[in-house]
Amino acid sequence: MSYCDEMFGLEGKTVAVTGGGGMIAAALTEALLRAGANVALWSIHTETARVTVDKVAGIPGAKERIRNLQADASDEASIRAALDTTEQELGAVDVLINAVGGNKGKGPFVEMDIEVLESILRLNLVAGLVVPTKVVASYWIERKIRGNIVNMASMYRAVPYDETDAGAWHRQIGVDLHGTFYCSRAAVQIMRRHGGGRRLDVAPLVRRRGRFAAARQGVATQCAQNSHHSQDRARWPRPHRPKTTNPGAGFRAPRGVADSLGESADGERWK
């Protein structure tokens, strides 16, 4: 077994993914299968989840390690039935990924449709978190299983740039910049002991007019990228090579911190 497999492999583990027909769930499913996990897709739309199943069919052993199960994440009985089937066919569930979520448009607060609001809350809170977590957590407690829960959530809010909250700004910088530093520092110490390694930083490109999240993420991202060049490269354990990637085809990364601030404030697209 390789070092990476030993550290990060999921062979023998069973992962349940709610919202199994969604794009995020599809990407997670492929990664989980490649890491050796068994994956149960719990989706109310099994025909959509079938697309994911077909997509990952080429992964070795995928056919035996994936299941497409119909389940309404807002209904306890439905989730419990999916959990029982998963246990019977793939083994005890070790990880729950809550990937149900969505929106139904936006508009002025005073024009809000309460029925639409309630349906969004039910989708994102009840189905996206409460019901699956309640059922699976009860299952773990009953069987004395030490499980793990991963919750998928959006952190983008349409806050005008000139109304940026300082506390939220510092929290975002803490996650995107300080988090990169602390994790990288710990990883380099391990790489040094093992004679080398690789580091890949994944940085989002957020381009929406007036979005506060774009400014704070842009600044933190650019600072992290710049740190790759400002550090004494001779101190990096060879052949360690820090890299940063920005997912999203057709976009070019900002060239500096001021650019990041300016783009999020005025909405101008990069040339």
Side-chain angles (χ1 to χ4, degrees), residues 73-264:
S74 66
D75 182 82
E76 290 188 43
S78 181
I79 290 296
R80 193 171 294 109
L83 178 60
D84 290 342
T85 302
T86 300
E87 183 179 37
Q88 294 168 9
E89 299 188 10
L90 297 176
V93 171
D94 301 286
V95 181
L96 168 65
I97 298 180
N98 285 313
V100 168
N103 201 352
K104 296 183 179 180
K106 61 181 180 180
F109 178 79
V110 294
E111 298 177 9
M112 181 185 304
D113 186 314
I114 299 301
E115 291 186 0
V116 173
L117 173 62
E118 290 176 343
S119 69
I120 294 173
L121 289 174
R122 184 167 182 80
L123 175 65
N124 290 277
L125 180 60
V126 177
L129 174 67
V130 176
V131 170
T133 301
K134 176 185 177 182
V135 173
V136 175
S138 298
Y139 161 84
W140 284 337
I141 293 171
E142 179 182 337
R143 289 165 172 74
K144 295 181 170 57
I145 297 174
R146 297 185 63 180
N148 295 275
I149 298 174
V150 179
N151 294 321
M152 308 300 297
S154 172
M155 62 186 299
Y156 298 109
R157 299 182 297 277
V159 178
Y161 176 76
D162 57 350
E163 296 178 12
T164 296
D165 176 78
W169 171 276
H170 287 293
R171 285 192 296 273
Q172 186 69 51
I173 294 296
V175 172
D176 291 336
L177 178 58
H178 298 167
T180 299
F181 165 71
Y182 293 134
C183 292
S184 297
R185 183 176 63 177
V188 168
Q189 293 172 1
I190 296 174
M191 292 176 187
R192 195 180 300 280
R193 291 198 297 269
H194 288 271
R198 295 288 189 274
R199 188 183 87 196
L200 176 66
D201 296 332
V202 179
L205 293 178
V206 186
R207 286 179 163 79
R208 291 294 181 88
R209 179 182 296 272
R211 286 214 169 202
F212 157 46
R216 59 189 184 181
Q217 285 198 325
V219 170
T221 295
Q222 192 62 42
C223 286
Q225 291 174 338
N226 291 344
S227 71
H228 294 168
H229 305 287
S230 61
Q231 297 170 36
D232 179 3
R233 296 297 290 268
R235 294 180 59 84
W236 288 101
R238 297 184 180 181
H240 176 278
R241 296 173 186 170
K243 298 288 185 182
T244 301
T245 182
N246 300 85
F251 292 98
R252 298 180 63 183
R255 297 186 62 83
V257 173
D259 292 335
S260 300
L261 284 167
E263 191 277 337
S264 63

